[in-house]
Amino acid sequence: MVLGTDRLELGEGIRWTDDHAVLTDILSGRLLAAPDDPTAPHTPIARLPCPLGAVAPVEGRPGHWIAAAGTGVCRVDPAGRAEWIARPEDDAPVPMRMNDGVADPQGRFWAGSMAHDATGDAGSLYRLDRDGRVTRVLRDITVPNGPAFTADGTLMYLADSARGVIRRYRVDPASGDLGTPEPFVTLASGSPDGMTTDTEGGLWTAVWGLGQVHRYHPDGALDRIIDLPAAQPAGLCLGGTDGRTLLVTSAHIGLPAPGPFDGAVFAVRVDVPGTPASPYRPTVPSAPAPTDRADTP
């Protein structure tokens, strides 16, 4: 089923929260709510004057979001106003923007950056801790997508879409420190894009360029392929009242002749449920300067 009449330029960052799905159209800076009615348009929530990759709800503050946007991370209030927490990519040697991002089960927010022109190895992964500290934890990524976390927050999956690879990292639940990366899946064609996990520990990923969504078992074995009538699936999540609706965004950017469903949002019923998006859970912020902990190539 197709949700809504809109066709997005670069639909991404879809999350199930507060009994509905929110998503971004990255380059237009728009945060949208997806409708239940296939004949209705998406509902605008906010529009930033910069690219908007993904958001997480803020615990206990309805209508407030933490966003991977522009060259960093900001808070977005119910009026759509942005308050910047950090802009670590302002002084990068090439023009940069934030891409995908998500909160982990412990309440931290993680977001990746990439060059506007996808310059190789220009991207990084940042972590916003609950106290407001922003730390670069990985560098030398070209197009980071995800991350996605297991339900207990002890494993993180991160795609480098340009390389066709998904890596898995052990995560210290208390500190957020990452272990040594392990290769999880390498695609022979297409690019792994947005990701999410389900309650059995399976990993779902949108496959840009193939018009598919893949589900992998925790050991990396391919379990299922879902074909979509859109060439560039980009973001996904599991939602709905029972967590068994797979919601997938797509994009028409770069296609010389987009089809009728390129840029659409799709809903597909699946067997294994997921859980709603984790919120960012702030403590009293101390507003420290950003630090750099990226010691993994």
Side-chain angles (χ1 to χ4, degrees):
M1 181 174 72
V2 175
L3 296 182
T5 57
D6 303 67
R7 300 294 180 262
L8 305 172
E9 181 184 20
L10 184 50
E12 259 277 18
I14 191 163
R15 306 287 180 260
W16 184 263
T17 179
D18 294 330
D19 299 322
H20 67 280
V22 300
L23 60 137
T24 64
D25 195 8
I26 293 182
L27 300 182
S28 70
R30 293 187 298 159
L31 178 63
L32 306 163
D36 295 326
D37 181 356
T39 66
H42 299 322
T43 302
I45 298 174
R47 184 164 194 164
L48 303 188
C50 59
L52 173 59
V55 301
V58 179
E59 185 176 70
R61 304 195 69 188
H64 290 254
W65 309 90
I66 291 293
T71 55
V73 179
C74 65
R75 304 177 185 90
V76 180
D77 69 15
R81 294 173 297 222
E83 177 189 356
W84 291 98
I85 298 171
R87 300 184 191 183
E89 296 289 4
D90 267 359
D91 298 323
V94 296
M96 301 288 291
R97 69 167 175 85
M98 303 304 287
N99 198 41
D100 207 356
V102 71
D104 69 18
Q106 281 71 40
R108 298 174 287 248
F109 184 70
W110 303 68
S113 67
M114 61 175 286
H116 276 277
D117 65 358
T119 296
D121 297 338
S124 297
L125 180 70
Y126 294 91
R127 187 187 68 231
L128 170 64
D129 288 322
R130 295 179 60 195
D131 63 1
R133 182 188 300 270
V134 174
T135 303
R136 179 164 55 184
V137 293
L138 294 172
R139 63 172 76 240
D140 299 331
I141 310 165
T142 300
V143 181
N145 269 295
F149 292 85
T150 52
D152 62 2
T154 61
L155 285 175
M156 181 189 83
Y157 295 91
L158 183 71
D160 191 339
S161 300
R163 292 187 170 94
V165 63
I166 300 172
R167 299 185 179 95
R168 181 165 59 189
Y169 300 77
R170 295 283 175 183
V171 183
D172 184 309
S175 67
D177 289 343
L178 299 181
T180 302
E182 307 167 2
F184 181 68
V185 168
T186 300
L187 274 64
S189 58
S191 300
D193 206 300
M195 299 184 293
T196 194
T197 61
D198 58 34
T199 58
E200 291 184 353
L203 179 74
W204 290 90
T205 182
V207 184
W208 179 280
L210 282 190
Q212 294 179 342
V213 172
H214 293 181
R215 182 184 187 266
Y216 294 92
H217 290 295
D219 64 0
L222 179 62
D223 171 61
R224 183 178 179 187
I225 294 175
I226 296 174
D227 292 304
L228 297 171
Q232 299 177 154
L236 49 71
C237 71
L238 288 161
T241 56
D242 61 359
R244 289 182 167 87
T245 299
L246 180 69
L247 300 163
V248 187
T249 63
S250 66
H252 65 68
I253 188 172
L255 294 175
F261 298 111
D262 288 307
V265 177
F266 302 94
V268 182
R269 295 292 290 168
V270 297
D271 297 328
V272 182
T275 57
S278 295
Y280 175 65
R281 302 203 307 270
T283 57
V284 176
S286 57
T291 58
D292 193 333
R293 295 283 299 280
D295 52 8
T296 303

